[in-house]
Amino acid sequence: MSRLKRLTSEIHRRSLWQVLLIYAGLSFLAALALWGVVATGWYLLADRAELEKSLAVLPFENLSPDPENEFITDGIHDEIIARLSRIADLKVISRNSVMEYKGRSGDVRAIAEELDVTNILEGTVRRANGTVRITTQLSDALADEQLWAEVYDRSLSDVLAVPSDVAEQVAAALKAELTAAERERIAERPTENLEAYEFYLRGMEYYRRPSSDPEIFRSAQRMWEQSVQLDPSFALAHAWLSIIHSVTYWYRQDFTEERLRLARAAADRALELDPSLPEGHLALAYYYYWGFRAYDRAAEELAVAEQGLPGDAELLAARGYINRRRGKWEEAVAN
């Protein structure tokens, strides 16, 4: 009988121990699940915060009576993207990705979903009788809510200030943090000479055509040469003049030492005029990459340029090209 009691007591003890183990296991699983919920919540909040500061600047519509003014519309659109891309706290979709929507009407919510952004900036440009009217509208496309809108009526001489103001207003509407250096860089005017600026924009229009036709390269070169002739202190035009010399050499359209000398001289002049100019260092990166296949040296210049162009598509593409040549395939694909 005493043996039976001992056996029963042992069974009870073992059952209690098993129950305690079960409760401990369930508590652990509950804690693990709670940690997963919290971690997922933080992840989603962080992801949402990034999405709230993401935007695409759709191609502006040219409303000018003269279709020839299309390059002005494209230039203002490009300048706004360039200035927004200098704000590290914003995610700005590249020009190449948004240009496919040029001339197309569509549901902005669908476009935002295709581009994986929350916000869409749209605009129009009308140039006539010596004045320019630029309309802009920023909306949260996913919530179907207008965040900011403005109409700018400017004389031709004052139109260069508009992209800077748009960038600051958009940053404020999206609650993006701007460093003092970013604010200063956004506010800078590349030139005070409107005619020089127009030649600069025409050069960019040629350069961005999807072609390696030698005549297109020569046309871009002529535009930028005219630009720096009108304003010798136009550092940005010098930088792009250097880039077109380097790309001409790379495509062996003029595979000479003189072409490389011109590329280096233009880049040096750009940085002499503005030592902090990111595009000047981008020009040097292309000079080392296209001229000498000096990939490490080119990467160093890109690192300097990135400080002023944290989200610039041209810079990311250049880094991708260079990483590909260095055999860094994962980084190349990511860029």
Side-chain angles (χ1 to χ4, degrees), residues 286-298:
Y286 276 133
Y287 168 77
Y288 286 116
Y289 168 38
W290 283 331
F292 302 94
R293 298 177 186 261
Y295 307 129
D296 291 344
R297 187 71 180 88

Side-chain angles (χ1 to χ4, degrees), residues 82-92 167-168 170-171 176-179 182 186 308 310-311:
R83 279 164 173 71
L84 288 169
S85 296
R86 292 170 178 170
I87 303 173
D89 200 30
L90 290 178
K91 172 191 171 184
V92 184
E168 288 206 26
V170 168
E177 295 183 7
L178 273 73
T179 66
E182 287 172 345
I186 288 171

Side-chain angles (χ1 to χ4, degrees), residues 316-328:
L316 292 172
R319 185 192 292 152
Y321 302 149
I322 291 169
N323 280 332
R324 178 186 62 191
R325 294 280 177 173
R326 298 161 91 188
K328 297 185 176 182

Side-chain angles (χ1 to χ4, degrees), residues 82-83 85-88 185 240 277-280 282 302 304-316 319:
R83 279 164 173 71
S85 296
R86 292 170 178 170
I87 303 173
R185 178 60 69 180
W240 282 101
L277 183 71
E279 290 85 355
L282 177 64
L302 282 182
V304 178
E306 187 176 15
Q307 296 175 24
L309 299 169
D312 184 73
E314 183 83 27
L315 186 144
L316 292 172
R319 185 192 292 152

Side-chain angles (χ1 to χ4, degrees), residues 190 228 231-240 266 269-271 273-274 277 280:
V228 298
D231 181 5
S233 64
F234 193 171
L236 189 59
H238 283 287
W240 282 101
R269 180 57 178 156
L271 290 172
L273 290 165
D274 183 355
L277 183 71

Side-chain angles (χ1 to χ4, degrees), residues 52-78:
E52 287 176 350
K53 297 179 182 179
S54 63
L55 76 152
V57 185
L58 297 186
F60 281 22
E61 183 181 359
N62 177 32
L63 300 181
S64 305
D66 184 357
E68 174 66 17
N69 287 319
E70 184 77 23
F71 80 96
I72 290 286
T73 301
D74 289 345
I76 290 172
H77 171 250
D78 293 350

